Amino acid sequence: QVQLVESGGGLVQAGGSLRLSCAASGRTFSSYSMGWFRQAPGKEREFVAAISWSDGNTYYADSVKGRFTISRDNAKNTVYLQMNSLKPEDTAVYYCAARRGSIATNQRDYGMDYWGKGTLVTVSS
């Protein structure tokens, strides 16, 4: 069982930056692939970024590629999402997610099994 707690959300102007953090419980964090997803008002949840447990490979949605960076610090049981050049359309609740083992890119939500409660990011124009 993994518990995930997101932080770092807030209000930012378009063009600004934010860094989200996700702290995970448990002693086997390094064996979990991690991801970030978001849900905008009135829309379905969508994939944002993910990072593999084994080789650190990263995956990004086309809409954030080049602007967002996912990273992890296994010593701190934390995964980050650095968000730059933010746009109003990035406004959403951002969720951290985890999956033991490899990312399942062919499954819904990349096969993630554990979810945090989310942190709100609002980008003003």
Side-chain angles (χ1 to χ4, degrees):
Q1 188 80 9
V2 175
Q3 292 185 328
L4 306 171
V5 179
E6 304 95 336
S7 61
L11 174 64
V12 64
Q13 287 189 334
S17 298
L18 278 177
R19 188 176 80 156
L20 305 183
S21 299
C22 172
S25 65
R27 293 175 290 179
T28 58
F29 175 77
S30 61
S31 62
Y32 283 80
S33 293
M34 304 296 296
W36 288 95
F37 295 73
R38 67 186 181 187
Q39 187 168 19
K43 295 187 177 181
E44 292 189 355
R45 186 170 63 201
E46 64 176 359
F47 168 75
V48 175
I51 185 165
S52 171
W53 75 277
S54 56
D55 51 17
N57 276 352
T58 55
Y59 306 78
Y60 295 96
D62 288 343
S63 59
V64 307
K65 206 170 289 185
R67 299 188 298 124
F68 290 10
T69 302
I70 187 171
S71 61
R72 64 189 299 160
D73 185 337
N74 288 339
K76 295 183 177 180
N77 280 16
T78 300
V79 63
Y80 304 97
L81 185 68
Q82 178 67 44
M83 305 186 295
N84 299 328
S85 302
L86 282 161
K87 304 175 181 180
E89 51 263 44
D90 294 318
T91 294
V93 176
Y94 283 72
Y95 297 92
C96 176
R99 170 184 171 87
R100 188 173 180 88
S102 300
I103 295 169
T105 56
N106 59 339
Q107 294 184 16
R108 185 184 180 203
D109 290 334
Y110 282 53
M112 297 295 172
D113 297 312
Y114 303 98
W115 296 85
K117 293 184 178 180
T119 185
L120 177 62
V121 172
T122 303
V123 184
S124 63
S125 57

